[in-house]
Amino acid sequence: MKQLAMPINLDELPAKRAYTRIPTVLLKKIKFNTAEGKRAERALRFTLSAVAAGGQIYSFTCDKVNGEQPTCTRTYEGFSRDLGISVSSVGRAVGSLIAGGMVERTGQSEYITTLNKAGTFLRLENWVNTIKIKVTNKKGEVIERRLTLAERLVFSLIFTHCDNGKKGGNKYVASHKEMCAVLGISEKTISKAINTLIAAGLVIRAEYERGVNRTHKSIYHINNRLLSRNRAAT
């Protein structure tokens, strides 16, 4: 079996535990506003680019400071640099967030979230957006690339459940089908993302019951060195 990625050096990751909050409502189907101001007839999901951009805007603006809501001031180029997606993708993402009622534009390159802080969210550490992993391409060549948006989202789901001392910590039990129901991405994409995360040394999988398929569950753990590093930094 061809290796999807090579283990990363956890010692090279930033020590500071900074993360983005991704509201789970961004992962659900919603009805968008049309150009005429009416609601779209069928519900659609946000693209992963919109989920990533929406998480950044939410994280900057959901916490009030001295009773006032902060503003996320970010150019499309800034989103593109931080998230590793094209400027055109950022433009479409932000436009859909505004059309979907999740974000308001308050000025040139200025945004606030309309979402309630009390809603549930996944946590995505900021280094996950920028770290590069080494993978083997179809030609057998070793190349460097960022984690895909799907890989980041799957890691975020596992990390959020594992880094939770209130529920036992470092254990997430789920099937691909259950992950699909939460994240809104295909089971095939989830499977590929998990295999890459495991090969990179970020996630550990232990078989549960009859193994890994669309209905049977697996136990997932975050690399202990990674969690220890995070807890030591708080």
Side-chain angles (χ1 to χ4, degrees):
M1 179 178 178
K2 185 172 66 175
Q3 189 178 22
L4 297 176
M6 301 176 185
I8 63 172
N9 185 351
L10 297 181
D11 293 330
E12 295 179 354
L13 298 180
K16 186 177 180 181
R17 185 186 184 185
Y19 61 86
T20 297
R21 288 172 282 189
I22 302 175
T24 54
V25 68
L26 294 179
L27 305 172
K28 303 180 183 300
K29 288 185 177 180
I30 68 163
K31 290 185 177 180
F32 287 84
N33 287 318
T34 64
E36 294 77 22
K38 300 178 181 178
R39 303 300 277 177
E41 292 184 0
R42 63 189 181 94
L44 300 172
R45 293 188 187 275
F46 288 110
T47 64
L48 295 188
S49 295
V51 171
Q56 290 214 338
I57 295 172
Y58 175 86
S59 299
F60 272 108
T61 69
C62 69
D63 294 318
K64 290 186 177 181
V65 178
N66 297 325
E68 296 184 359
Q69 185 178 19
T71 298
C72 176
T73 303
R74 185 79 58 88
T75 63
Y76 285 179
E77 288 78 10
F79 279 113
S80 174
R81 179 185 62 251
D82 293 343
L83 298 175
I85 57 180
S86 68
V87 173
S88 59
S89 294
V90 171
R92 290 190 294 270
V94 171
S96 68
L97 291 167
I98 294 172
M102 304 296 174
V103 165
E104 289 182 1
R105 192 192 304 270
T106 58
Q108 182 68 28
S109 301
E110 295 183 348
Y111 311 93
I112 60 172
T113 184
T114 62
L115 299 176
N116 191 324
K117 179 187 174 183
T120 59
F121 57 85
L122 301 179
R123 288 180 290 124
L124 179 66
E125 290 201 310
N126 291 343
W127 61 262
V128 180
N129 286 318
T130 57
I131 191 173
K132 289 186 177 181
I133 60 173
K134 292 182 179 180
V135 299
T136 305
N137 63 19
K138 294 181 179 180
K139 297 180 179 179
E141 302 167 333
V142 176
I143 62 172
E144 278 193 336
R145 67 164 175 83
R146 292 192 187 191
L147 293 174
T148 66
L149 291 173
E151 289 163 356
R152 299 175 209 176
L153 195 57
V154 171
F155 180 80
S156 175
L157 176 63
I158 298 173
F159 181 90
T160 300
H161 283 85
C162 287
D163 192 32
N164 188 344
K166 295 180 181 179
K167 296 184 179 180
N170 205 6
K171 182 179 179 180
Y172 176 52
V173 181
S175 66
H176 291 173
K177 184 177 181 180
E178 289 170 328
M179 291 183 177
C180 175
V182 175
L183 300 178
I185 55 181
S186 73
E187 294 173 42
K188 182 178 181 180
T189 300
I190 288 172
S191 177
K192 288 182 177 180
I194 288 174
N195 288 337
T196 299
L197 294 170
I198 291 172
L202 296 173
V203 170
I204 299 168
R205 176 173 59 201
E207 289 192 357
Y208 178 71
E209 293 181 350
R210 281 183 275 175
V212 182
N213 57 38
R214 74 185 300 270
T215 57
H216 295 116
K217 302 175 187 293
S218 291
I219 300 174
Y220 297 96
H221 308 284
I222 294 296
N223 186 300
N224 275 323
R225 287 182 59 208
L226 179 57
L227 288 186
S228 298
R229 164 191 146 274
N230 286 334
R231 288 166 182 160
T234 56

